[in-house]
Amino acid sequence: MDVLEVLNLGDIAQTFSKMGMFPVFDLAYYIVSILYLKYEPGSVEVARKSPVASWLCAMLYCFGSYILADVLLGGCPLDYFQYNSHILLASAIWYLVFFCPLNLFYKCVAFLPVKLVLVALKEVVRTRKIAAGVHHAHHAYHNGFLIMVIIGYVKGSGVALISNFEQLLRGVWRPETNEILNMSFPTKASLYGAILFTLQEAHLLPVSKSTLICLFTVFMATTKVILTARHSHGSPFVLIESWVCHLLFGSPLGGGEEEHHAAPVAPVSPVKTKEEFGEGTRKRKSKKAE
């Protein structure tokens, strides 16, 4: 019975790994990506004033990972734009999100139950992109494990890594949002996923690729749905990262966030200082008189 269950799980994982992403999963990916663009400050104003700049930003949100990976592997950054169906679909989503009458499309896809489904579908695409990036780098650099990790990482979180460049297109510059300095959960998960898929590609991880894709997709989709439902920007890796950084780099336990949120020491009131100074002066004068 256990053997049959394992075989069934393997068959399910293999079927899932071969499932096509276009158009349903890619549609969800484009919708969620452009939703995040609309949440950015000033993006609606840019869409009204300069639709071309807004459309370019939307294309970076949808295809930034492919562009950055092609640049790193020495390919043409415009290579992915040959897929007309993907470009037209992403462009249609961009137009509906920003210019649909009465904002109806945005209200529908931003409705929380619908958004949770779209977020889960997006994570399916993210996992597949990480696996594809590692596989592509493996063919180009057979023993380049670090290159495999980098390309898989970029494929999974390329949009976040080039977000500062995208901000320049919108006329905004916020260096504090640098994703390398302040990694969000999808960026960290993409890095860890790239490491896992690299180990699997190098036959150092005793699990098939289809099973790894299935398990990692379930983890990503479940975690992202929970975080989105709770409106949280946290990460389930915080506790583990805190202990690892404490052991390896001597960082304080609890992470930097607690330190930043610690109550600041109240500054000494200048009025109180003057009063104390005046009181001390009066005491010294009274002692002199005595």
Side-chain angles (χ1 to χ4, degrees), residues 34 56 69 85 102 123 135 160 165 224 237 244 261 265 272 279:
I34 296 175
L56 287 173
S85 56
L102 302 178
E123 296 309 314
H135 183 72
F165 175 73
K224 199 67 172 71
F237 306 124
V244 171
H261 292 296
V265 179
K272 187 177 179 182
E279 186 179 353

Side-chain angles (χ1 to χ4, degrees), residues 13-132:
Q14 193 169 7
T15 304
F16 178 78
S17 64
K18 293 180 179 179
M19 189 183 300
M21 295 292 101
F22 187 84
V24 177
F25 293 93
D26 285 329
L27 176 66
Y29 186 89
Y30 300 152
I31 290 175
V32 176
S33 298
I34 296 175
L35 271 181
Y36 289 154
L37 172 61
K38 190 165 184 176
Y39 294 153
E40 290 293 326
S43 61
V44 177
E45 290 76 8
V46 171
R48 297 287 188 271
K49 294 179 182 178
S50 179
V52 175
S54 177
W55 179 81
L56 287 173
C57 292
M59 295 304 102
L60 284 179
Y61 264 74
C62 293
F63 310 114
S65 57
Y66 297 104
I67 294 171
L68 188 55
D70 286 337
V71 170
L72 292 177
L73 290 174
C76 177
L78 300 177
D79 194 37
Y80 197 81
F81 286 87
Q82 64 180 310
Y83 302 109
N84 297 323
S85 56
H86 291 264
I87 302 302
L88 290 174
L89 182 60
S91 300
I93 297 302
W94 163 77
Y95 184 84
L96 290 173
V97 168
F98 282 96
F99 302 105
C100 181
L102 302 178
N103 228 7
L104 288 177
F105 185 80
Y106 169 75
K107 291 176 182 177
C108 290
V109 297
F111 182 52
L112 187 58
V114 176
K115 187 178 178 182
L116 294 179
V117 174
L118 296 173
V119 165
L121 295 178
K122 179 181 178 179
E123 296 309 314
V124 176
V125 180
R126 188 194 304 275
T127 303
R128 201 68 65 87
K129 287 166 68 176
I130 296 172

Side-chain angles (χ1 to χ4, degrees), residues 195-208 212:
I195 294 173
L196 290 176
F197 281 104
T198 299
L199 293 175
Q200 192 281 327
E201 198 74 43
H203 304 291
L204 298 175
L205 196 65
V207 64
S208 66
L212 183 58

Side-chain angles (χ1 to χ4, degrees), residues 9 12-13 16-17 119-132 134 149 152-157 184-200 205 207-225 235-237:
L9 178 61
I12 292 172
F16 178 78
S17 64
V119 165
L121 295 178
K122 179 181 178 179
E123 296 309 314
V124 176
V125 180
R126 188 194 304 275
T127 303
R128 201 68 65 87
K129 287 166 68 176
I130 296 172
V134 171
V149 172
Y153 174 51
V154 165
K155 278 288 187 77
S157 60
S184 60
F185 163 70
T187 306
K188 290 180 180 180
S190 297
L191 177 59
Y192 301 148
I195 294 173
L196 290 176
F197 281 104
T198 299
L199 293 175
Q200 192 281 327
L205 196 65
V207 64
S208 66
K209 180 182 289 188
S210 58
T211 303
L212 183 58
I213 289 175
C214 185
L215 294 176
F216 194 74
T217 301
V218 170
F219 166 74
M220 289 294 294
T222 304
T223 306
K224 199 67 172 71
V225 165
S235 169
F237 306 124

